[in-house]
Amino acid sequence: EISWYLNARYIAAAESAWRIFHFSISELHPTVIRLQVHLPGQHLVAYNPDEDPARILRRAANERTMLTEYFKANVLNLSDESRDPPIRARNYTYQEFPQHFVWDPDLKSWHVRQQGSAIGRMYFVAPTAGERFYLRTLLSVVRGPTSFNDLRTVHGQTLQSYHEACIERGLLEDDG
């Protein structure tokens, strides 16, 4: 079947020219931004195995991720008052954030979006992942959190876990 398909496939002159010059054949619109979900201090770190472990740990502690910079943008309450209605970072959930802000991978920071559109999509986290799953659940609902602890704070009380925060917010039910 595979050889029949390859033998029967016809590439016209226009398509072959596009492929030769490496033009894009298809396009995704709007852009989908994949958003990291990690617990405090548990983000991915790339390193050289020959590098000093102490240096790796120092660099990892100071590394900025999409999620930690989302919290920072909310602390600073990044905004663009010239728009109608004004864009303010604290008005959006983590998933909504890429619609109004752009991630700069070189500077590792969020900036107000000037053109185009994008959709935020958090990485899948299975319910068996425990606290990480509950963190993801909270990120999809809570607008403008300023830290991991802020996500666990409900009605002025900081709870022990993200699971408790989900229950307190009415996002989950338990047998009790």
Side-chain angles (χ1 to χ4, degrees):
E1 285 183 39
I2 295 170
S3 63
W4 290 347
Y5 172 78
L6 292 174
N7 290 336
R9 185 162 181 236
Y10 172 75
I11 298 178
E15 183 181 350
S16 63
W18 274 76
R19 289 183 184 275
I20 289 170
F21 292 118
H22 300 283
F23 296 137
S24 61
I25 302 295
S26 62
E27 181 179 318
L28 291 175
H29 186 77
T31 304
V32 177
I33 306 297
R34 298 190 69 188
L35 301 170
Q36 303 166 356
V37 178
H38 60 82
L39 292 168
Q42 294 186 8
H43 58 279
L44 293 176
V45 177
Y47 65 92
N48 181 343
D50 298 329
E51 195 174 358
D52 178 38
R55 186 168 183 229
I56 294 169
L57 289 173
R58 278 194 309 273
R59 192 179 74 237
N62 295 324
E63 197 156 304
R64 300 183 312 188
T65 67
M66 286 180 155
L67 181 55
T68 58
E69 289 302 300
Y70 165 68
F71 293 143
K72 190 175 185 179
N74 287 329
V75 168
L76 300 173
N77 201 13
L78 291 181
S79 63
D80 185 354
E81 301 295 329
S82 66
R83 306 241 179 120
D84 187 30
I87 294 175
R88 292 188 186 93
R90 301 227 35 203
N91 294 343
Y92 306 108
T93 63
Y94 189 42
Q95 266 181 280
E96 296 169 340
F97 210 69
Q99 294 173 10
H100 307 283
F101 294 86
V102 177
W103 174 251
D104 184 339
D106 296 329
L107 298 175
K108 291 192 175 186
S109 63
W110 291 100
H111 304 285
V112 175
R113 181 174 290 283
Q114 300 299 324
Q115 63 184 12
S117 62
I119 295 173
R121 179 177 167 259
M122 285 189 275
Y123 281 97
F124 173 76
V125 178
T128 57
E131 284 297 288
R132 201 164 142 238
F133 172 77
Y134 302 118
L135 169 68
R136 184 183 188 279
T137 303
L138 289 167
L139 285 169
S140 65
V141 175
V142 178
R143 294 180 184 281
T146 57
S147 66
F148 287 104
N149 284 340
D150 193 27
L151 281 169
R152 290 184 300 146
T153 304
V154 182
H155 307 300
Q157 181 183 3
T158 302
L159 302 170
Q160 293 296 315
S161 68
Y162 298 111
H163 179 251
E164 289 178 21
C166 285
I167 291 173
E168 189 69 28
R169 287 183 182 272
L171 302 174
L172 300 174
E173 292 182 5
D174 65 356
D175 292 337

